[in-house]
Amino acid sequence: MKANPKQGRTHMIRILKPIRKHGRLVSGLALLLLIANPLGAEENSVPKLFESGEVLAVTITAPWEDLVRKPDFQDPYPATMTYTDSLGKEWSHSLTVERRGVKRQQTCDFPPIRLRFEKDEVRNSPFRGQDSLKMVTHCKKPEAYDQFYIIEMLAYRMYNVLTDYSFRVRPLSVSYADSKGGHNLEKRFAFVIEDDGDVAKRNGFKKLEIPYIRSERLDASATSDFALFQFLIGNTDWSAMRGSDSGECCHNAKLIAPRPFGFDDLAIPLPYDFDSTGIVNPPYAAPAEGLGINSVTQRIYRGYCAHNDALPEARQKLLDRKAEILAVLDSEDRLDKRSKKSTLRYVERYYKIIESDKNFERMVVKKCRN
């Protein structure tokens, strides 16, 4: 069908006629500008927090001595964060900080932290859209401890190589200023973890909040990626079907899925919390009882037998991306020579297993759990 020029002119005239908006007359031209750039909207040329992998140097001012010395107080403390973004603009955000986690609170001198923002407070900044972020911190005073959490951060990035169904991370260099005049802590490495709702959103899903799930309701392909990756990093402390709290699935995993979650829809597990894995191997890590292993560095496959048909494809993906996964570790300048060497060796031992048909059958396929 040919276009009608007269119809097009009539359409433009209709658009350019004044219309009434909020009690005022707005010309058609102004309306077009309003649509292109809504009133009050600002350009966001600076990358959002997880769109960059560069270190962000921040100063967080809070009553840190109170937070550290009062482990029974789990409520939020008022705080301020200041930093300069990649375009040279200085920012200052009000927020709250609070203790989080279980194991690391019991063993660390400095606990993991949750940052909470008001969305209006971070509008147009690199933190725009954020309201709650987990921050992984240094645990103890010696800087040698930073190596453990650098490796933990790299585990997330290794999984990013395999799939977009994964948490992104952003490294920080944090200066801790005490708001009550107490001792300021030295600058230390930390990183923040993407919110599970944001992971779901960028993949076209919603986060799924249910008490438990059956293995056949988990996407076999994605869950095989998940399970073989946990085997790679030496993680046995997880469940993608149920959690320790009967009211929420899962344990060290989150679920995302289409909404509404229909009868034929499948959920996808997202792994997190890698500090007690074999690849990190901090002094406080110990394997769960009943697994038949003496150290977290010993690998044991804990994937589900229901997904064994999807294992060959997941295995091939890991084989194809071996060089990229090793490069995540080898290119990390924050790792000292000893840590880098031992971590690369640990991953190479994994590939000796999955590169062999015999070893893969014996140590993976036949070790699945029902």
Side-chain angles (χ1 to χ4, degrees):
M1 182 182 296
K2 292 183 179 181
N4 187 336
K6 184 177 179 180
Q7 185 181 33
R9 287 195 298 271
T10 304
H11 181 65
M12 286 301 297
I13 291 170
R14 188 180 299 118
I15 287 178
L16 292 174
K17 284 183 178 179
I19 65 168
R20 187 169 297 276
K21 178 177 174 62
H22 302 306
R24 295 178 298 167
L25 288 176
V26 181
S27 73
L29 180 59
L31 177 62
L32 291 176
L33 293 174
L34 185 66
I35 293 171
N37 186 21
L39 188 63
E42 296 183 28
E43 293 296 328
N44 288 318
S45 55
V46 63
K48 296 178 74 172
L49 184 63
F50 295 104
E51 291 174 355
S52 171
E54 297 300 314
V55 177
L56 180 63
V58 302
T59 296
I60 304 178
T61 303
W64 294 114
E65 285 195 2
D66 288 350
L67 186 146
V68 171
R69 293 177 179 179
K70 299 177 181 179
D72 293 334
F73 186 80
Q74 301 283 315
D75 292 345
Y77 292 89
T80 303
M81 174 188 289
T82 58
Y83 61 94
T84 302
D85 68 25
S86 60
L87 299 180
K89 183 174 180 179
E90 295 181 353
W91 294 92
S92 179
H93 305 310
S94 296
L95 69 155
T96 62
V97 295
E98 63 195 71
R99 302 172 69 103
R100 68 172 184 86
V102 178
K103 185 184 297 183
R104 277 188 263 202
Q105 282 207 55
Q106 297 169 350
T107 59
C108 292
D109 297 336
F110 193 88
I113 299 296
R114 184 177 294 277
L115 311 176
R116 295 191 187 273
F117 303 90
E118 293 290 339
K119 288 194 176 182
D120 285 344
E121 181 68 24
V122 294
R123 189 181 301 277
N124 300 311
S125 79
F127 283 82
R128 60 188 180 272
Q130 302 299 330
D131 55 10
S132 176
L133 288 173
K134 293 178 179 179
M135 186 170 80
V136 177
T137 53
H138 55 273
C139 185
K140 292 185 180 291
K141 187 174 182 178
E143 289 191 6
Y145 267 80
D146 289 356
Q147 296 292 301
F148 299 124
Y149 308 110
I150 293 168
I151 297 170
E152 183 181 0
M153 181 193 71
L154 296 176
Y156 285 94
R157 289 186 167 176
M158 290 162 65
Y159 199 53
N160 295 155
V161 169
L162 287 178
T163 176
D164 288 334
Y165 301 135
S166 55
F167 289 98
R168 295 181 297 185
V169 290
R170 179 71 184 269
L172 306 177
S173 175
V174 184
S175 296
Y176 299 89
D178 195 272
S179 59
K180 291 188 173 181
H183 179 67
N184 293 339
L185 302 178
E186 66 271 28
K187 187 179 294 185
R188 295 296 294 267
F189 170 83
F191 67 91
V192 285
I193 305 170
E194 187 178 22
D195 181 74
D196 56 334
D198 290 339
V199 181
K201 184 177 180 180
R202 64 180 167 82
N203 283 287
F205 293 144
K206 297 283 188 178
K207 61 181 181 180
L208 186 61
E209 296 174 321
I210 55 176
Y212 65 89
I213 193 168
R214 301 188 309 274
S215 60
E216 57 267 28
R217 296 301 306 277
L218 293 169
D219 182 274
S221 177
T223 309
S224 294
D225 290 341
F226 171 102
L228 280 180
F229 173 75
Q230 302 280 30
F231 188 52
L232 186 161
I233 63 174
N235 192 14
T236 59
D237 188 25
W238 63 269
S239 171
M241 293 173 59
R242 54 181 47 84
S244 54
D245 179 357
S246 59
E248 182 180 0
C249 183
C250 303
H251 180 55
N252 289 338
K254 296 291 186 180
L255 297 178
I256 60 174
R259 283 289 178 90
F261 187 51
F263 182 78
D264 294 327
D265 292 321
L266 300 173
I268 293 171
L270 309 173
Y272 71 94
D273 196 358
F274 306 138
D275 72 304
S276 292
T277 60
I279 198 170
V280 177
N281 194 26
Y284 57 77
E289 295 181 2
L291 294 179
I293 56 176
N294 300 317
S295 168
V296 293
T297 59
Q298 293 179 257
R299 289 187 171 93
I300 179 171
Y301 181 70
R302 307 207 72 213
Y304 305 117
C305 298
H307 305 138
N308 274 4
D309 287 347
L311 281 176
E313 180 183 354
R315 175 195 181 192
Q316 191 60 51
K317 183 187 295 187
L318 278 153
L319 293 173
D320 292 343
R321 300 183 186 178
K322 176 182 178 180
E324 294 175 70
I325 288 173
L326 290 173
V328 170
L329 302 171
D330 198 34
S331 63
E332 179 53 67
D333 294 336
R334 283 168 293 224
L335 285 181
D336 60 36
K337 289 183 179 180
R338 181 178 179 181
S339 296
K340 182 178 290 188
K341 182 178 179 180
S342 63
T343 306
L344 286 168
R345 186 167 58 241
Y346 189 76
V347 174
E348 288 283 10
R349 288 202 296 268
Y350 169 82
Y351 274 98
K352 287 184 178 179
I353 295 172
I354 70 164
E355 286 169 347
S356 163
D357 291 343
K358 181 178 179 180
N359 288 339
F360 188 78
E361 180 72 18
R362 177 174 60 89
M363 300 182 68
V364 176
V365 177
K366 291 185 176 180
K367 292 294 183 179
C368 64
R369 51 176 168 162
N370 293 307

